[in-house]
């Protein structure tokens, strides 16, 4: 990989790989936690809503550190932010293992979320500053490939360890492996400077962020995050009686996402971010709807549609801001990602409540056992389809908005 920065001391190659391992840490914390939810609920006698609040701490820590990281990125530098990420990840992982209580899990999950947010706050602007144009979009997609890629590895590790009778504590230790690797790779490295002058000033960032386009993207980001994360985080519970293996569904979804993101640069070059986002919303709607109606082998078909739908959401929302609103800088990228994660602190407990309510409603109809859990899970999935359906409308509007804007710019030139 070639660095596009003029700072000769910056090793973009090493920084990029370190970023990938940091994102793998984030992915492990997501997938392994999803895999051990049933064990945690059983051992600690937690309700689905309580598990939802534990999940929400992961999503709450993320936006807090992303916003703070974005605000201080050009003051303290990406290196300092990633040093805190390493501390938060390491302490959060160890505390998770030794807490053994609901409150302890809330605190440890919050710490891990803070480390995850620091990773996004530091690595997204670093990649945006180190590479130009389509190359930047390509590298952002390849970087974000390792969130689903890491989830594939983590979910398979979780499944095999659970099948082998290993406890959830042992599975959490695995998250330390990529943590140690990224800490080593980042050690002693210099970071690239901002390539857009106004993007390196807080006033320039804030001015760009009060634009209608940025505010519109904030709304879209909350919905893309809900469409992507809710079905994945709750797969072990919602799909447990569908006739498919939930962790294999998660591995299939994230595996396809990883491959799709590897080729994300080509998709953006052909359809631009707006076309890619609109097509993604359509496929995500189809996938989630199929999850709500299909069982057995067809659940894996639903997973394919869902994966192709959500694969390009996150990197291209970040890429859109970096490319179309460059003066928002590191703060703009951090805020847009933070909104996506913060929205989940609201939606995760709500989803847990939906599951509890659907279980109660279906039980009142006389269903029991596996049939009860299957029908309730499908009812919840059907409710979740509202998120990508709204996105189809919003991204259609965005597509024509940006097309019209581009036509005016060409005419003025």
């Amino acid at each position: 990989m070639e660095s596009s920065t003029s700072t000769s001391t910056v090793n973009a190659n090493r920084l990029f790989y370190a970023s990938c391992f940091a994102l793998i840490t984030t992915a492990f914390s997501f997938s392994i936690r999803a895999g051990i939810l049933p064990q945690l609920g059983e051992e600690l006698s937690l309700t689905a809503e309580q598990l939802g609040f534990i999940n929400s701490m992961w999503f709450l820590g993320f936006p807090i550190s992303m916003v703070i990281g974005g605000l201080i990125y050009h003051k303290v530098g990406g290196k300092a932010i990633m040093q805190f990420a390493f501390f938060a990840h390491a302490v959060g992982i160890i505390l998770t293992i030794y807490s053994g209580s609901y409150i302890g899990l809330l605190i440890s999950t919050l710490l891990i979320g803070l480390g995850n947010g620091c990773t996004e706050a530091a690595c997204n602007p670093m990649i945006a500053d180190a590479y130009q144009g389509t190359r930047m979009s390509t590298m952002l997609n390849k970087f974000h490939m390792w969130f689903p890629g890491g989830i594939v590895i983590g979910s398979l590790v979780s499944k095999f360890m659970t099948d082998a009778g290993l406890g959830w504590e042992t599975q959490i230790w695995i998250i330390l492996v990529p943590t140690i690797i990224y800490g080593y790779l980042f050690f002693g490295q210099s970071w690239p400077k901002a390539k857009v002058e106004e993007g390196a000033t807080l006033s320039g960032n804030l001015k760009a962020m009060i634009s209608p386009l940025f505010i519109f993207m904030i709304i879209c980001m909350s919905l893309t995050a809900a469409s992507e994360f809710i079905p994945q985080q709750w797969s072990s519970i919602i799909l447990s009686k569908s006739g498919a293996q939930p962790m294999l569904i998660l591995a299939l979804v994230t595996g396809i996402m990883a491959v799709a993101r590897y080729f994300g640069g080509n998709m953006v070059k052909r359809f631009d971010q707006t076309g890619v986002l609109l097509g993604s919303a359509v496929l995500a709607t189809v996938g989630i709807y199929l999850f709500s109606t299909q069982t057995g082998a067809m659940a894996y078909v639903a997973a394919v549609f869902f994966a192709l739908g959500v694969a390009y959401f996150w990197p291209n929302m970040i890429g859109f801001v970096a490319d179309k609103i460059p003066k928002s800088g590191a703060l703009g990228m951090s805020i847009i990602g933070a909104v996506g994660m913060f929205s989940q602190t609201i939606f995760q407990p709500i989803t847990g409540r939906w599951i509890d309510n659907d279980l109660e409603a279906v039980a009142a109809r006389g269903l029991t056992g596996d049939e009860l859990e299957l029908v309730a899970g499908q009812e919840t999935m059907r409710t979740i389809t509202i998120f990508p359906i709204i996105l189809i409308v919003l991204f259609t509007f965005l597509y024509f908005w940006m097309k019209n804007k581009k036509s005016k710019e060409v005419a003025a030139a």
Side-chain angles (χ1 to χ4, degrees), residues 73-92:
Y73 181 85
H74 293 297
K75 293 291 184 183
V76 305
K79 181 191 297 187
I81 295 173
M82 286 311 301
Q83 285 172 341
F84 179 78
F86 180 82
F87 167 81
H89 275 144
V91 174

Side-chain angles (χ1 to χ4, degrees), residues 287-303:
I288 297 175
Y289 176 75
L290 287 176
F291 273 139
S292 74
T293 58
Q294 304 300 312
T295 59
M298 281 301 295
Y300 297 102
V301 175

Side-chain angles (χ1 to χ4, degrees), residues 32-51:
I32 291 177
R33 280 180 173 277
I36 66 173
L37 272 184
Q39 290 185 50
L40 284 176
E42 187 176 339
E43 276 194 33
L44 302 178
S45 301
L46 302 175
T47 66
E49 187 171 359
Q50 286 178 312
L51 292 174

Side-chain angles (χ1 to χ4, degrees), residues 14 31 42 59 67 70 94 96 125 142 144 149 156 162 164 190 216 240 257 260 277 320 326-327 336 381 393 410:
R14 179 163 173 161
S31 58
E42 187 176 339
F59 291 103
V67 172
I94 293 169
T96 296
K142 286 186 176 180
H144 286 283
L156 290 176
T162 299
S190 299
F216 179 85
S240 61
M257 287 175 68
L277 289 169
F320 183 95
K327 292 180 182 179
I336 203 76
M381 275 292 183
V393 177
V410 172

Side-chain angles (χ1 to χ4, degrees), residues 26 53-69 84-85 88-89 106-121 334 337-346:
T26 297
F53 275 110
I54 292 172
N55 284 344
S56 74
M57 290 299 101
W58 189 93
F59 291 103
L60 177 62
F62 219 119
I64 289 173
S65 55
M66 282 189 78
V67 172
I68 295 174
F84 179 78
H89 275 144
L106 288 174
I107 296 171
S108 65
T109 306
L110 177 63
L111 274 172
I112 291 174
L114 290 171
N116 297 339
C118 285
T119 295
E120 290 273 343
S334 291
V339 166
M341 287 301 173
F342 181 74
S343 68
Q344 298 313 294
T345 67
I346 300 170

Side-chain angles (χ1 to χ4, degrees), residues 278 280-283 285 387-397:
L278 176 55
S280 295
V282 173
L283 289 172
T285 301
F387 297 121
I389 287 172
I390 295 173
L391 282 171
I392 293 174
V393 177
L394 294 180
F395 284 145
T396 298
F397 178 75

Side-chain angles (χ1 to χ4, degrees), residues 180-196:
I180 293 170
I181 294 174
Y182 86 69
Y184 168 76
L185 289 174
F186 274 128
F187 185 77
Q189 297 300 299
S190 299
W191 289 58
K193 296 178 181 178
K195 62 189 179 189
V196 178

Side-chain angles (χ1 to χ4, degrees), residues 10 24 30 32 74 101 123 149 188 199 203 225 239 272 350 380 395 408:
V10 172
I24 289 171
F30 182 87
I32 291 177
H74 293 297
S101 69
C123 298
S203 60
L239 300 176
D272 192 64
I350 288 174
T380 303
F395 284 145
K408 288 181 178 178

